[in-house]
Protein backbone atom coordinates (compact mmCIF):
# COMPACT_ATOMS: atom_id res chain seq x y z
CA UNK A 1 0.00 0.00 0.00
CA UNK A 2 1.46 3.35 -1.07
CA UNK A 3 1.73 5.92 1.69
CA UNK A 4 -0.13 9.16 1.15
CA UNK A 5 2.05 12.26 0.77
CA UNK A 6 2.15 14.49 3.84
CA UNK A 7 -0.27 17.42 3.79
CA UNK A 8 1.19 20.64 2.45
CA UNK A 9 1.67 23.77 4.57
CA UNK A 10 0.44 27.08 3.17
CA UNK A 11 3.03 29.51 4.49
CA UNK A 12 5.98 27.43 3.30
CA UNK A 13 4.40 27.05 -0.15
CA UNK A 14 3.72 30.79 -0.29
CA UNK A 15 7.40 31.39 0.37
CA UNK A 16 8.31 29.02 -2.44
CA UNK A 17 6.01 30.92 -4.82
CA UNK A 18 7.53 34.21 -3.66
CA UNK A 19 11.02 32.92 -4.42
CA UNK A 20 10.04 31.74 -7.92
CA UNK A 21 11.78 34.03 -10.45
CA UNK A 22 9.74 33.14 -13.54
CA UNK A 23 6.68 35.40 -13.66
CA UNK A 24 4.40 32.89 -15.38
CA UNK A 25 5.41 30.09 -13.03
CA UNK A 26 4.81 32.40 -10.05
CA UNK A 27 1.29 33.04 -11.35
CA UNK A 28 0.61 29.33 -11.78
CA UNK A 29 1.92 28.49 -8.31
CA UNK A 30 -0.15 31.24 -6.72
CA UNK A 31 -3.36 30.24 -8.48
CA UNK A 32 -2.70 26.58 -7.58
CA UNK A 33 -2.32 27.51 -3.90
CA UNK A 34 -5.65 29.32 -3.97
CA UNK A 35 -7.35 26.36 -5.66
CA UNK A 36 -5.88 23.95 -3.09
CA UNK A 37 -6.41 26.16 -0.04
CA UNK A 38 -9.02 23.86 1.51
CA UNK A 39 -6.49 20.99 1.56
CA UNK A 40 -3.59 22.95 3.06
CA UNK A 41 -2.76 23.26 6.73
CA UNK A 42 -1.31 26.41 8.29
CA UNK A 43 1.39 26.56 10.94
CA UNK A 44 0.75 30.10 12.12
CA UNK A 45 3.23 30.01 15.01
CA UNK A 46 6.28 29.13 12.88
CA UNK A 47 8.95 31.70 12.00
CA UNK A 48 11.00 31.16 8.85
CA UNK A 49 14.53 32.27 8.09
CA UNK A 50 14.46 35.10 5.55
CA UNK A 51 16.05 33.99 2.25
CA UNK A 52 18.72 36.17 0.69
CA UNK A 53 17.19 36.27 -2.80
CA UNK A 54 13.83 37.76 -1.91
CA UNK A 55 11.63 38.13 -3.89
CA UNK A 56 12.19 35.96 -6.95
CA UNK A 57 12.14 38.21 -10.03
CA UNK A 58 12.79 37.57 -13.72
CA UNK A 59 15.95 38.87 -15.39
CA UNK A 60 13.81 41.46 -17.17
CA UNK A 61 12.52 44.12 -16.68
CA UNK A 62 15.56 46.13 -15.72
CA UNK A 63 14.85 47.63 -12.30
CA UNK A 64 15.70 51.28 -11.66
CA UNK A 65 14.89 54.04 -9.23
CA UNK A 66 11.49 55.54 -10.02
CA UNK A 67 13.33 58.77 -10.88
CA UNK A 68 15.23 56.96 -13.66
CA UNK A 69 12.24 55.40 -15.41
CA UNK A 70 11.48 57.49 -18.52
CA UNK A 71 8.00 58.93 -18.94
CA UNK A 72 6.26 58.53 -22.28
CA UNK A 73 3.03 59.89 -23.67
CA UNK A 74 0.22 57.30 -23.82
CA UNK A 75 -0.95 59.03 -27.01
CA UNK A 76 1.73 57.10 -28.91
CA UNK A 77 1.60 53.30 -29.34
CA UNK A 78 4.93 52.81 -27.56
CA UNK A 79 3.96 55.22 -24.79
CA UNK A 80 0.68 53.39 -24.23
CA UNK A 81 2.57 50.10 -24.07
CA UNK A 82 5.01 51.60 -21.55
CA UNK A 83 2.12 52.75 -19.37
CA UNK A 84 0.50 49.32 -19.48
CA UNK A 85 3.87 47.76 -18.72
CA UNK A 86 4.15 49.93 -15.60
CA UNK A 87 0.71 48.72 -14.49
CA UNK A 88 1.69 45.12 -15.20
CA UNK A 89 4.80 45.57 -13.04
CA UNK A 90 2.70 46.96 -10.19
CA UNK A 91 0.54 43.84 -10.31
CA UNK A 92 3.61 41.58 -10.36
CA UNK A 93 4.86 43.32 -7.23
CA UNK A 94 1.40 43.00 -5.69
CA UNK A 95 1.57 39.20 -6.08
CA UNK A 96 4.87 39.22 -4.22
CA UNK A 97 3.56 41.53 -1.49
CA UNK A 98 0.55 39.29 -0.80
CA UNK A 99 2.71 36.13 -0.74
CA UNK A 100 5.15 37.89 1.56
CA UNK A 101 2.33 38.84 3.94
CA UNK A 102 1.47 35.13 4.21
CA UNK A 103 4.83 33.58 5.01
CA UNK A 104 6.51 36.41 6.90
CA UNK A 105 4.19 37.13 9.80
CA UNK A 106 3.63 34.46 12.44
CA UNK A 107 0.91 34.17 15.07
CA UNK A 108 -1.93 35.56 13.01
CA UNK A 109 -5.38 33.91 12.78
CA UNK A 110 -5.86 31.38 9.99
CA UNK A 111 -8.32 33.74 8.30
CA UNK A 112 -5.49 36.27 7.87
CA UNK A 113 -3.45 33.83 5.76
CA UNK A 114 -6.44 32.81 3.66
CA UNK A 115 -7.34 36.46 3.07
CA UNK A 116 -3.89 37.22 1.71
CA UNK A 117 -3.89 34.08 -0.41
CA UNK A 118 -7.11 35.32 -2.02
CA UNK A 119 -5.43 38.67 -2.64
CA UNK A 120 -2.36 36.99 -4.18
CA UNK A 121 -4.52 34.96 -6.57
CA UNK A 122 -6.46 38.04 -7.66
CA UNK A 123 -3.23 39.99 -8.21
CA UNK A 124 -2.01 37.07 -10.34
CA UNK A 125 -5.15 37.39 -12.45
CA UNK A 126 -4.61 41.14 -12.84
CA UNK A 127 -1.01 40.56 -13.92
CA UNK A 128 -2.10 37.93 -16.45
CA UNK A 129 -4.79 40.18 -17.94
CA UNK A 130 -2.43 43.11 -18.38
CA UNK A 131 0.39 40.95 -19.71
CA UNK A 132 -1.92 39.32 -22.26
CA UNK A 133 -3.04 42.78 -23.38
CA UNK A 134 0.58 43.88 -23.74
CA UNK A 135 1.30 40.78 -25.80
CA UNK A 136 -1.67 41.53 -28.06
CA UNK A 137 0.00 44.90 -28.76
CA UNK A 138 3.31 43.27 -29.72
CA UNK A 139 5.10 43.79 -26.39
CA UNK A 140 5.69 41.73 -23.27
CA UNK A 141 6.48 42.12 -19.61
CA UNK A 142 10.15 42.99 -19.39
CA UNK A 143 10.31 45.13 -22.54
CA UNK A 144 10.55 48.40 -20.56
CA UNK A 145 12.48 49.36 -17.41
CA UNK A 146 10.53 49.37 -14.15
CA UNK A 147 10.95 50.74 -10.64
CA UNK A 148 11.35 49.09 -7.26
CA UNK A 149 9.11 51.35 -5.15
CA UNK A 150 6.53 48.83 -3.95
CA UNK A 151 9.06 46.27 -2.77
CA UNK A 152 11.12 49.00 -1.11
CA UNK A 153 8.19 49.58 1.26
CA UNK A 154 7.91 45.83 1.84
CA UNK A 155 11.51 45.86 3.13
CA UNK A 156 10.81 48.81 5.42
CA UNK A 157 7.77 47.10 6.92
CA UNK A 158 9.16 43.57 7.22
CA UNK A 159 9.55 43.65 10.99
CA UNK A 160 5.95 44.14 12.11
CA UNK A 161 2.61 43.07 10.66
CA UNK A 162 1.00 46.24 12.05
CA UNK A 163 3.37 48.43 10.05
CA UNK A 164 2.92 46.30 6.93
CA UNK A 165 -0.88 46.52 7.08
CA UNK A 166 -0.72 50.28 7.70
CA UNK A 167 1.69 51.21 4.95
CA UNK A 168 1.18 48.72 2.14
CA UNK A 169 -2.53 47.94 1.66
CA UNK A 170 -3.79 51.05 3.49
CA UNK A 171 -1.30 53.44 1.85
CA UNK A 172 0.28 52.20 -1.38
CA UNK A 173 -2.61 50.05 -2.57
CA UNK A 174 -5.17 52.60 -1.43
CA UNK A 175 -3.33 55.17 -3.54
CA UNK A 176 -4.23 52.99 -6.51
CA UNK A 177 -7.91 53.55 -5.72
CA UNK A 178 -7.32 57.28 -6.15
CA UNK A 179 -5.16 56.99 -9.27
CA UNK A 180 -7.37 54.66 -11.31
CA UNK A 181 -10.28 56.96 -12.32
CA UNK A 182 -7.99 59.78 -13.61
CA UNK A 183 -5.91 57.19 -15.46
CA UNK A 184 -9.03 55.74 -17.04
CA UNK A 185 -10.10 59.25 -18.10
CA UNK A 186 -6.73 59.74 -19.80
CA UNK A 187 -7.01 56.39 -21.58
CA UNK A 188 -10.49 57.31 -22.82
CA UNK A 189 -8.98 60.46 -24.33
CA UNK A 190 -6.41 58.29 -26.11
CA UNK A 191 -9.44 56.50 -27.50
CA UNK A 192 -7.77 53.67 -29.39
CA UNK A 193 -9.12 50.09 -29.05
CA UNK A 194 -6.01 49.17 -27.05
CA UNK A 195 -6.53 52.08 -24.65
CA UNK A 196 -10.24 51.34 -24.23
CA UNK A 197 -9.49 47.67 -23.53
CA UNK A 198 -7.15 48.87 -20.78
CA UNK A 199 -10.02 50.92 -19.30
CA UNK A 200 -12.11 47.76 -19.03
CA UNK A 201 -9.27 45.84 -17.36
CA UNK A 202 -8.82 48.68 -14.87
CA UNK A 203 -12.54 48.49 -14.00
CA UNK A 204 -12.05 44.89 -12.90
CA UNK A 205 -8.83 45.67 -11.05
CA UNK A 206 -10.41 48.58 -9.18
CA UNK A 207 -13.27 46.39 -7.95
CA UNK A 208 -10.83 43.80 -6.63
CA UNK A 209 -8.46 46.37 -5.12
CA UNK A 210 -11.25 47.83 -3.00
CA UNK A 211 -11.52 44.39 -1.43
CA UNK A 212 -7.75 44.16 -0.95
CA UNK A 213 -7.59 47.49 0.84
CA UNK A 214 -10.57 46.41 2.97
CA UNK A 215 -8.60 43.31 4.02
CA UNK A 216 -5.68 45.54 4.99
CA UNK A 217 -8.01 47.79 6.98
CA UNK A 218 -9.54 44.83 8.79
CA UNK A 219 -6.24 43.32 9.93
CA UNK A 220 -4.71 46.70 10.74
CA UNK A 221 -7.59 47.49 13.08
CA UNK A 222 -7.51 44.02 14.59
CA UNK A 223 -3.82 44.30 15.49
CA UNK A 224 -4.37 47.84 16.82
CA UNK A 225 -7.15 46.49 19.05
CA UNK A 226 -4.91 43.67 20.28
CA UNK A 227 -2.21 46.16 21.23
CA UNK A 228 -4.54 48.78 22.70
CA UNK A 229 -3.67 51.35 20.01
CA UNK A 230 -5.85 54.01 18.41
CA UNK A 231 -5.87 53.32 14.64
CA UNK A 232 -6.02 56.98 13.63
CA UNK A 233 -3.15 58.33 15.71
CA UNK A 234 -1.08 55.16 15.25
CA UNK A 235 -1.27 55.47 11.47
CA UNK A 236 0.03 59.04 11.55
CA UNK A 237 2.97 57.99 13.74
CA UNK A 238 3.85 55.00 11.52
CA UNK A 239 3.57 56.98 8.29
CA UNK A 240 6.07 59.53 9.59
CA UNK A 241 8.39 56.99 11.22
CA UNK A 242 8.69 54.77 8.14
CA UNK A 243 8.69 57.48 5.48
CA UNK A 244 5.40 56.65 3.79
CA UNK A 245 4.77 58.74 0.68
CA UNK A 246 2.63 61.81 1.26
CA UNK A 247 -0.70 61.23 -0.43
CA UNK A 248 -2.09 63.88 -2.76
CA UNK A 249 -5.62 64.35 -4.04
CA UNK A 250 -7.95 64.04 -5.71
CA UNK A 251 -9.02 61.13 -3.54
CA UNK A 252 -11.51 58.46 -4.54
CA UNK A 253 -13.54 58.87 -1.37
CA UNK A 254 -16.32 56.55 -2.50
CA UNK A 255 -13.88 53.70 -3.14
CA UNK A 256 -12.06 54.41 0.12
CA UNK A 257 -15.33 54.23 2.04
CA UNK A 258 -16.17 50.96 0.32
CA UNK A 259 -12.72 49.72 1.38
CA UNK A 260 -13.49 50.43 5.03
CA UNK A 261 -11.89 53.79 5.71
CA UNK A 262 -13.80 55.68 8.37
CA UNK A 263 -14.87 59.30 8.06
CA UNK A 264 -12.30 60.48 10.62
CA UNK A 265 -9.56 58.88 8.53
CA UNK A 266 -10.81 60.49 5.34
CA UNK A 267 -11.00 63.88 7.06
CA UNK A 268 -7.42 63.48 8.25
CA UNK A 269 -6.35 62.42 4.76
CA UNK A 270 -7.94 65.43 3.07
CA UNK A 271 -6.70 67.84 5.73
CA UNK A 272 -3.04 66.79 5.42
CA UNK A 273 -2.93 66.34 1.63
Amino acid sequence: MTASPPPAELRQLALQALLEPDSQQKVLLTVYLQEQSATLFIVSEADFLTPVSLPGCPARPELRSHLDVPKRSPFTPEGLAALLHALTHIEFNAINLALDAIWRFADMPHAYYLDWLKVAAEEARHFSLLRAHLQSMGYDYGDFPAHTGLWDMARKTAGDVLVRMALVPRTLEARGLDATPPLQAKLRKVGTPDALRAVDILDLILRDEIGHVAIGNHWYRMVCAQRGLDPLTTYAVLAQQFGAPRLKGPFNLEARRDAGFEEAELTQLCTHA
Side-chain angles (χ1 to χ4, degrees):
M1 183 176 178
T2 304
S4 299
E9 198 279 318
L10 172 59
R11 293 177 63 214
Q12 187 65 54
L13 292 175
L15 178 56
Q16 291 176 17
L18 179 63
L19 291 170
E20 172 57 51
D22 181 84
S23 59
Q24 184 58 27
Q25 190 63 22
K26 189 188 296 285
V27 165
L28 293 174
L29 288 170
T30 302
V31 171
Y32 174 79
L33 281 181
Q34 170 68 0
E35 291 173 346
Q36 299 299 313
S37 60
T39 70
L40 303 175
F41 74 101
I42 304 172
V43 181
S44 60
E45 67 272 15
D47 284 312
F48 299 100
L49 293 176
T50 304
V52 175
S53 57
L54 192 69
C57 293
R60 300 172 66 240
E62 175 193 354
L63 298 179
R64 304 178 181 176
S65 162
H66 70 280
L67 298 174
D68 295 330
V69 176
K71 294 183 179 180
R72 298 176 174 89
S73 169
F75 290 88
T76 67
E78 184 179 43
L80 177 61
L83 172 60
L84 295 179
H85 186 275
L87 297 174
T88 306
H89 182 65
I90 288 171
E91 298 302 327
F92 179 78
N93 274 279
I95 302 170
N96 285 333
L97 286 166
L99 292 171
D100 190 75
I102 296 169
W103 83 268
R104 183 177 294 277
F105 300 111
D107 299 318
M108 295 295 287
H110 282 207
Y112 165 89
Y113 301 107
L114 295 177
D115 273 352
W116 287 107
L117 179 57
K118 176 179 183 289
V119 172
E122 290 179 350
E123 303 292 15
R125 178 171 63 147
H126 301 167
F127 172 83
S128 297
L129 284 170
L130 287 166
R131 185 180 186 186
H133 189 33
L134 263 181
Q135 290 170 333
S136 76
M137 296 168 60
Y139 297 89
D140 201 356
Y141 181 56
D143 286 351
F144 299 90
H147 68 78
T148 61
L150 278 173
W151 193 256
D152 290 343
M153 184 56 76
R155 290 192 181 95
K156 287 184 181 181
T157 60
D160 188 340
V161 67
L162 177 70
V163 184
R164 173 65 62 85
M165 294 298 106
L167 301 185
V168 174
R170 299 183 80 250
T171 302
L172 299 186
E173 293 190 67
R175 187 162 62 173
L177 305 183
D178 304 325
T180 298
L183 177 57
Q184 288 178 302
K186 181 179 289 188
L187 289 169
R188 289 189 185 98
K189 286 183 180 179
V190 174
T192 63
D194 287 334
L196 296 177
R197 169 58 181 152
V199 171
D200 291 339
I201 294 172
L202 287 171
D203 274 337
L204 182 151
I205 291 175
L206 179 59
R207 287 195 299 271
D208 287 347
E209 293 297 338
I210 289 172
H212 301 174
V213 177
I215 287 170
N217 268 322
H218 170 76
W219 292 110
Y220 171 73
R221 292 200 181 98
M222 193 213 76
V223 178
C224 280
Q226 284 182 335
R227 300 183 188 181
L229 300 172
D230 174 68
L232 191 64
T233 56
T234 298
Y235 177 80
V237 170
L238 295 177
Q240 182 176 18
Q241 181 180 351
F242 288 88
R246 181 166 181 173
L247 302 181
K248 299 178 181 179
F251 299 111
N252 189 344
L253 296 179
E254 179 182 0
R256 283 178 173 267
R257 288 187 182 100
D258 289 344
F261 284 97
E262 297 177 351
E263 290 305 315
E265 293 174 305
L266 298 177
T267 299
Q268 184 184 69
L269 177 69
C270 296
T271 301
H272 293 91

